[in-house]
Amino acid sequence: QVPTTSPSKAPIARNPDPTQSPTDKPTSTPVTDSPTALPTASPIETTDSPTASPSKVPTLKPVTESPTKLPTASPVNPTNIPTASPSKQPTPKPVTVSPTTLPTSSPVKITDSPTDSPSKAPTLKPVTDSPSKQPTSSPINSSNSPTGQPSKIPTSSPSKSPIQATPAPSSSPTNQPTKAPTDAPTTTSPSKAPTPWLQDVGNNGAPVTSFPLDECQGDCDNDEECQGPLQCFQRDGTQTVPGCSGLGASGRDYCAARPTDTTLFLKGDEGLPAANFPLGICDGDCDVDANCEQNLICGQRTGVQVVPGCDGIGVSGKDYCR
């Protein structure tokens, strides 16, 4: 029999002659003020020692309002030594509020020497807040001599001291121009200005506002219709006008700058214009000596033969005084 945990407040009246067989019905007077409705078939035995085989599923309602004084027979054993096979997945809830005092059995090894096989991808977070004390095993070797194969991309940090000028220019242009101009020009003879194109702006002195004509302008009939030292270059086709670009209109005459007084230059043909005859030295086109000034002769040509004492080749087949 199990003694009741709540003894009655009043003593129970006992029958001086109890029956040997208890009654089927309960007594009309309860043993306690708050008895259980039905007695348990297997009452729980109170013990100070925990059970050797605890239940796998917890009870829906605790047996007592206060927990047991002794822990379970198989508690989680804390240890200062980490496990050799840690779990791959973290626990949804930590076992303890404070972390372990010892690191994992396979921590990241810190070394003063660089690794022979660096990782291909950078770490998301640096291992330490301070950089490594030792430099890389293959640093960039500084040199006082320039490299034989310079990089194609300029450095973002140029040197503060100037570099000795190379005796010969590089075959390819630099990606960044120099801040200061060169002390001397690259060439002693700069490029010439582009030659103007032949233009037809007037004829026979009209319109008056266009005369005298400028270089490579036409149509002119004599030197007086050209500005300053320009001379009227006479044509009977599309011969090249000295110092001008283009062909112009066939048979039109244009003002041109004669390079020298001895440059072959067409001044007329068959005695026209009369103002240009007789022709001077290296002038053309002449047909006979009478077309040339005194002491000059008409040098007949069938192509671009050299005219003695004159410069250039002139117009093929044209004759010049010499």
Side-chain angles (χ1 to χ4, degrees):
Q1 292 182 356
V2 179
T4 179
T5 57
S6 303
S8 60
K9 296 180 180 179
I12 302 171
R14 298 184 178 273
N15 191 344
D17 186 12
T19 179
Q20 297 296 323
S21 300
T23 59
D24 295 331
K25 295 181 180 179
T27 60
S28 57
T29 303
V31 179
T32 60
D33 293 336
S34 57
T36 56
L38 291 175
T40 178
S42 300
I44 298 172
E45 295 180 358
T46 306
T47 176
D48 292 336
S49 301
T51 179
S53 302
S55 60
K56 296 181 180 179
V57 181
T59 58
L60 299 178
K61 186 176 181 181
V63 178
T64 60
E65 295 179 357
S66 60
T68 58
K69 297 180 180 179
L70 296 178
T72 178
S74 300
V76 178
N77 295 324
T79 176
N80 293 332
I81 301 175
T83 177
S85 302
S87 60
K88 296 181 180 179
Q89 298 293 334
T91 58
K93 186 177 181 181
V95 178
T96 60
V97 179
S98 59
T100 58
T101 57
L102 295 179
T104 178
S105 60
S106 300
V108 178
K109 295 181 180 179
I110 301 175
T111 176
D112 291 335
S113 301
T115 178
D116 295 331
S117 302
S119 59
K120 296 181 179 179
T123 57
L124 298 179
K125 188 177 181 181
V127 178
T128 59
D129 294 332
S130 59
S132 59
K133 298 179 180 179
Q134 299 293 333
T136 177
S137 58
S138 301
I140 299 174
N141 297 326
S142 58
S143 172
N144 293 329
S145 302
T147 177
Q149 297 178 345
S151 60
K152 297 180 179 179
I153 302 174
T155 178
S156 57
S157 302
S159 58
K160 296 180 180 179
S161 58
I163 302 172
Q164 282 290 42
T166 177
S170 60
S171 56
S172 59
T174 179
N175 292 330
Q176 188 174 5
T178 56
K179 295 181 179 179
T182 56
D183 296 332
T186 308
T187 59
T188 55
S189 57
S191 59
K192 297 179 181 179
T195 56
W197 289 84
L198 294 175
Q199 295 180 343
D200 293 311
V201 297
N203 190 16
N204 296 326
V208 179
T209 55
S210 298
F211 286 83
L213 301 172
D214 200 353
E215 185 178 9
C216 301
Q217 291 182 347
D219 175 50
C220 60
D221 297 318
N222 49 61
D223 295 346
E224 284 72 20
E225 291 184 344
C226 299
Q227 295 181 14
L230 299 178
Q231 298 182 19
C232 185
F233 187 82
Q234 303 288 328
R235 308 194 307 170
D236 57 4
T238 57
Q239 291 88 350
T240 300
V241 178
C244 300
S245 300
L247 299 176
S250 179
R252 290 292 179 92
D253 310 319
Y254 297 88
C255 296
R258 192 170 186 174
T260 64
D261 292 337
T262 56
T263 300
L264 295 177
F265 203 87
L266 287 178
K267 301 288 291 184
D269 189 19
E270 296 181 352
L272 297 174
N276 290 345
F277 285 84
L279 299 172
I281 188 170
C282 301
D283 292 343
D285 173 41
C286 60
D287 297 315
V288 294
D289 294 345
N291 293 144
C292 301
E293 294 178 350
Q294 291 182 358
N295 302 325
L296 297 179
I297 62 174
C298 183
Q300 302 289 329
R301 306 194 310 169
T302 57
V304 290
Q305 291 89 347
V306 175
V307 178
C310 299
D311 303 324
I313 60 175
V315 178
S316 179
K318 295 296 183 178
D319 311 318
Y320 298 86
C321 297
R322 58 183 177 86

Short mmCIF file of all heavy atoms in Angstrom, two decimals, residues 30 91 155 161 166 187 189 212 247 258 298 309:
data_model
loop_
_atom_site.label_atom_id
_atom_site.label_comp_id
_atom_site.label_asym_id
_atom_site.label_seq_id
_atom_site.Cartn_x
_atom_site.Cartn_y
_atom_site.Cartn_z
N PRO A 30 -15.02 10.68 2.51
CA PRO A 30 -13.73 10.56 1.78
C PRO A 30 -12.56 10.60 2.74
O PRO A 30 -12.63 11.15 3.83
CB PRO A 30 -13.72 11.78 0.85
CG PRO A 30 -14.60 12.78 1.52
CD PRO A 30 -15.67 11.95 2.22
N THR A 91 24.07 23.08 -35.02
CA THR A 91 22.85 22.81 -34.26
C THR A 91 21.93 24.00 -34.35
O THR A 91 22.39 25.15 -34.38
CB THR A 91 23.20 22.53 -32.79
OG1 THR A 91 23.88 23.67 -32.28
CG2 THR A 91 24.08 21.31 -32.64
N THR A 155 51.74 52.61 -65.92
CA THR A 155 51.56 52.46 -64.49
C THR A 155 50.70 53.58 -63.95
O THR A 155 50.71 54.70 -64.47
CB THR A 155 52.92 52.44 -63.77
OG1 THR A 155 52.69 52.34 -62.37
CG2 THR A 155 53.72 53.70 -64.06
N SER A 161 61.09 61.01 -60.50
CA SER A 161 62.28 61.56 -61.15
C SER A 161 62.17 61.37 -62.66
O SER A 161 61.60 60.38 -63.13
CB SER A 161 63.53 60.85 -60.63
OG SER A 161 63.44 59.45 -60.86
N THR A 166 65.54 58.73 -74.63
CA THR A 166 66.09 57.69 -75.48
C THR A 166 66.70 58.30 -76.74
O THR A 166 66.18 59.29 -77.26
CB THR A 166 64.97 56.69 -75.87
OG1 THR A 166 65.51 55.71 -76.76
CG2 THR A 166 63.81 57.39 -76.55
N THR A 187 61.45 67.77 -86.54
CA THR A 187 62.12 67.86 -87.84
C THR A 187 62.51 69.31 -88.11
O THR A 187 61.90 70.24 -87.58
CB THR A 187 61.18 67.36 -88.96
OG1 THR A 187 60.00 68.15 -88.96
CG2 THR A 187 60.82 65.90 -88.76
N SER A 189 62.42 70.61 -91.12
CA SER A 189 61.55 71.12 -92.19
C SER A 189 60.12 70.68 -91.92
O SER A 189 59.78 69.52 -92.14
CB SER A 189 62.02 70.61 -93.55
OG SER A 189 62.04 69.20 -93.56
N PRO A 212 41.84 91.58 -108.76
CA PRO A 212 42.68 90.52 -109.30
C PRO A 212 42.45 89.20 -108.56
O PRO A 212 42.07 89.19 -107.39
CB PRO A 212 44.09 91.05 -109.10
CG PRO A 212 43.98 91.97 -107.94
CD PRO A 212 42.62 92.59 -108.02
N LEU A 247 41.89 69.45 -111.32
CA LEU A 247 42.09 69.64 -112.76
C LEU A 247 41.50 70.96 -113.26
O LEU A 247 41.96 71.52 -114.26
CB LEU A 247 41.46 68.47 -113.53
CG LEU A 247 42.04 67.08 -113.23
CD1 LEU A 247 41.25 66.02 -114.00
CD2 LEU A 247 43.51 67.03 -113.61
N ARG A 258 54.73 81.06 -109.08
CA ARG A 258 55.85 80.42 -109.77
C ARG A 258 56.96 80.19 -108.74
O ARG A 258 57.45 81.16 -108.12
CB ARG A 258 56.33 81.31 -110.90
CG ARG A 258 57.30 80.62 -111.86
CD ARG A 258 57.52 81.49 -113.07
NE ARG A 258 58.33 80.83 -114.10
CZ ARG A 258 58.57 81.32 -115.31
NH1 ARG A 258 58.06 82.52 -115.65
NH2 ARG A 258 59.30 80.66 -116.19
N CYS A 298 63.86 78.91 -128.90
CA CYS A 298 62.72 78.05 -128.51
C CYS A 298 63.21 76.61 -128.49
O CYS A 298 63.58 76.05 -129.54
CB CYS A 298 61.57 78.22 -129.51
SG CYS A 298 60.09 77.26 -129.07
N GLY A 309 69.00 74.96 -118.23
CA GLY A 309 68.88 76.21 -117.51
C GLY A 309 67.54 76.42 -116.85
O GLY A 309 67.30 77.49 -116.26
#
